Amino acid sequence: MLPDLTKAAWRTVLLFVVGAGPATYMAVEQSGSSLLWGAYVSLTSTVKHLAGSAPEYHRADEEDEDLIWDEADDDDSPECSAASTNSRQSYVTEEAPELGPTCSPQVLAPGNYCPKCSEQSSILRQTDLMALAAAVPLRHKWRDWQLLYSSSRDGISLKTLYRQAAASKASLLVIRDRQQQVFGCFASETWRVAPRYYGTGECFVFQLGQPQLLCWRWWQKKMHQCKNDFFQFGTPEGLAMGGGAHYAIRLDADLAMGSSGTSSTFGSPCLASSEEFQIGKVELWGLG
């Protein structure tokens, strides 16, 4: 005798389990209850077997879900979040270290060549000449030096300096302030009046104090933090080298006063005896 299910219901169960097609379905329809009863016995045995084991599988699944949930909770704990944050912060710090306002200078050592000068300098010593000749770009290293402008010879005038500077592209500007501090810069382009900065990364500034001669070149690493390719700047009111928070060197139109401060272009500190200084002498040497 069949359980409390209609024949049609058992046909559906049987066909679903065994994957029977339409031909098998017709055979079951014709054979009657004996075939269905046999299927019922087989199915009952299978279902009982599965029913006894299924709860264990479900419990295992639930335990796995609990375990996964607990792990997710641990990741969200304050301790784990803080460690993760610290790890990310350490990585960022290593990738982009913060740079200070200045960098270490290069010590200029006199080379074995002393340039031939068109006139004797009233500021530079022979050791200064030899050190600067070794510091300039290679294509200018062996050139003769021409004194384009001298405040002692040509008078104090920025207009005259601009006019005389046109005779040479690259040049060395040398200043001595009233406190006898000597400093200056190498300019890769002709000094001129222009609406914006010009020059290249070959520009550098220097300080010829005792006991060492120091040089600051373009601080390229600083470009990762801020734009600092500010080299030469010329206006009727003054000329300047370097930029950022301060000019590395700036001379006014009368060549009587100047200023020097920490420049992000070179990472150089104040080069003069003080940030605001009185100009003693100025020389501009052309290197061709």
Side-chain angles (χ1 to χ4, degrees):
M1 172 173 190
L2 291 172
D4 296 333
L5 290 175
T6 63
K7 291 183 179 181
W10 279 111
R11 289 191 194 106
T12 301
V13 172
L14 175 63
L15 293 176
F16 175 78
V17 173
V18 300
T24 306
Y25 185 90
M26 294 300 297
V28 172
E29 182 70 27
Q30 295 175 2
S31 63
S33 61
S34 60
L35 179 58
L36 287 171
W37 179 255
Y40 165 73
V41 173
S42 176
L43 288 171
T44 301
S45 175
T46 302
V47 169
K48 285 182 178 179
H49 172 73
L50 294 175
S53 58
E56 294 182 1
Y57 289 115
H58 288 303
R59 285 194 298 272
D61 291 342
E62 291 172 358
E63 290 174 358
D64 291 343
E65 290 175 358
D66 290 342
L67 179 59
I68 295 173
W69 179 262
D70 290 341
E71 290 177 350
D73 287 346
D74 289 341
D75 288 341
D76 291 336
S77 64
E79 293 80 3
C80 291
S81 297
S84 177
T85 301
N86 292 337
S87 176
R88 288 193 296 269
Q89 290 174 346
S90 299
Y91 176 79
V92 171
T93 300
E94 292 175 0
E95 288 293 319
E98 186 69 23
L99 298 176
T102 60
C103 65
S104 300
Q106 173 190 353
V107 177
L108 295 182
N112 54 10
Y113 172 74
C114 184
K116 182 180 179 181
C117 300
S118 62
E119 299 181 35
Q120 184 175 354
S121 173
S122 61
I123 301 176
L124 299 173
R125 303 162 300 177
Q126 183 173 343
T127 54
D128 298 332
L129 294 171
M130 296 174 70
L132 291 173
V136 299
L138 184 61
R139 65 183 180 279
H140 301 299
K141 193 177 295 291
W142 313 109
R143 292 182 181 273
D144 295 341
W145 290 19
Q146 180 183 0
L147 185 59
L148 302 176
Y149 171 82
S150 168
S151 58
S152 300
R153 184 192 67 189
D154 303 311
I156 300 174
S157 171
L158 183 59
K159 288 184 179 180
T160 303
L161 187 151
Y162 282 139
R163 185 172 60 252
Q164 305 284 72
S168 178
K169 183 176 181 180
S171 62
L172 281 162
L173 180 65
V174 185
I175 304 108
R176 184 170 69 196
D177 65 21
R178 295 286 186 181
Q179 303 302 317
Q180 306 304 306
Q181 180 68 43
V182 179
F183 55 97
C185 59
F186 169 78
S188 60
E189 295 187 13
T190 302
W191 283 106
R192 62 189 183 275
V193 174
R196 59 184 62 85
Y197 275 91
Y198 52 94
T200 69
E202 289 182 321
C203 295
F204 63 83
V205 295
F206 56 85
Q207 187 182 65
L208 303 181
Q210 296 294 334
Q212 292 180 317
L213 313 182
L214 304 177
C215 167
W216 289 263
R217 299 184 185 275
W218 179 30
W219 197 7
Q220 296 187 52
K221 290 183 178 180
K222 192 71 171 180
M223 282 287 282
H224 296 293
Q225 294 183 358
C226 62
K227 181 177 174 62
N228 75 336
D229 53 345
F230 308 112
F231 303 112
Q232 298 172 244
F233 188 56
T235 70
E237 291 74 32
L239 65 76
M241 175 66 76
H246 301 280
Y247 297 114
I249 300 171
R250 185 186 184 279
L251 308 181
D252 66 12
D254 297 327
L255 297 184
M257 296 294 298
S259 63
S260 176
T262 301
S263 169
S264 61
T265 300
F266 306 105
S268 56
C270 174
L271 302 173
S273 57
S274 60
E275 291 192 355
E276 301 290 332
F277 60 88
Q278 290 183 312
I279 298 173
K281 289 186 178 182
V282 178
E283 291 181 351
L284 182 67
W285 292 91
L287 306 185

